[in-house]
Amino acid sequence: VIVVLGYLGYENLILKPKSEEANNELFTAQNYFNQALNGSEKSDSLFLLSLNGGDGKYGFLDIIKNYSGTNAANLSTYSAGMAYLNLKDYKNAIDYLDDFNSDDILLSALSKGAIGDAFAQINQQEEAYEYYVKAFESSDNLFSTPKYLYKAAMLGASLGKNSSALSYFKRIKSDYPDSAEAKLVEVQIGR
């Protein structure tokens, strides 16, 4: 009884208010992040504001630190990783995206694919390939799966993994014929 009451008390008196406060703080940071993604001329400074905060509000890094254990902190971990990726700080991008955990299969796939992109940028091709494979294996959807199948296939072909690359190209052609990547695979299969 004491354990159950303790859990319910923690849930309702500590975690729920903390989560609501974290969500309020997340709004401003996410707004800066979205403005940067939408092509603002000052996107680097907006990504930095999303990470470090502005206008008296927390950024993603503060939310992660001050509201750990909340959904807002977890989402901030993903967003911080993506902000670092856009700022070309690939090591921090990998670190934050690797710490992100989600039941959302699309976000999980996108975070793994972004880690692959970061590894590709720092010329760690084997690691990039592994994360692209993890990305398309974690979710079967029309948006991310053909994208990461294609990236894994292209990188696999350059790494000498020709049979895997060919199977990925053929899977795109058969399973995702309406995707943008499907228009590119015929040439790659012929190659």
Side-chain angles (χ1 to χ4, degrees):
V1 171
I2 292 174
V3 171
V4 170
L5 289 176
Y7 173 76
L8 291 174
Y10 173 77
E11 180 89 14
N12 290 318
L13 299 175
I14 296 173
L15 191 58
K16 189 174 180 181
K18 189 177 177 182
S19 292
E20 289 175 12
E21 189 177 326
N23 287 336
N24 289 336
E25 291 289 344
L26 181 61
F27 177 79
T28 302
Q30 196 65 48
N31 191 32
Y32 288 133
F33 182 79
N34 291 340
Q35 287 177 27
L37 286 180
N38 291 330
S40 172
E41 297 154 9
K42 303 180 255 182
S43 64
D44 282 358
S45 61
L46 288 169
F47 281 126
L48 289 172
L49 281 171
S50 74
L51 287 167
N52 301 311
D55 296 331
K57 293 290 189 175
Y58 284 163
F60 296 134
L61 301 178
D62 294 320
I63 295 168
I64 293 166
K65 179 181 174 186
N66 294 314
Y67 298 103
S68 65
T70 64
N71 287 336
N74 192 40
L75 185 57
S76 292
T77 302
Y78 171 78
S79 297
M82 296 304 284
Y84 279 123
L85 183 65
N86 282 287
L87 289 168
K88 297 177 177 40
D89 183 347
Y90 301 116
K91 182 179 179 341
N92 275 324
I94 292 166
D95 290 342
Y96 280 94
L97 289 168
D98 201 35
D99 285 344
F100 173 69
N101 293 312
S102 179
D103 293 334
D104 184 313
I105 56 174
L106 184 57
L107 276 183
S108 180
L110 291 175
S111 69
K112 287 174 179 57
I115 293 171
D117 291 342
F119 274 124
Q121 290 297 321
I122 58 175
N123 212 20
Q124 293 183 1
Q125 305 304 327
E126 281 290 338
E127 290 85 353
Y129 175 79
E130 289 174 23
Y131 272 95
Y132 289 147
V133 171
K134 287 179 184 179
F136 74 73
E137 286 178 343
S138 69
S139 170
D140 189 9
N141 64 71
L142 297 175
F143 174 70
S144 68
T145 306
K147 175 180 178 176
Y148 295 122
L149 273 167
Y150 188 78
K151 287 185 176 195
M154 292 297 291
L155 193 53
S158 72
L159 293 171
K161 302 174 190 274
N162 294 330
S163 63
S164 294
L166 183 59
S167 71
Y168 298 157
F169 286 132
K170 287 182 177 180
R171 181 172 168 203
I172 293 168
K173 185 178 175 180
S174 65
D175 295 356
Y176 307 99
D178 296 329
S179 69
E181 292 79 11
K183 296 173 179 82
L184 307 171
V185 296
E186 201 62 49
V187 171
Q188 299 302 327
I189 291 171
R191 187 175 63 99

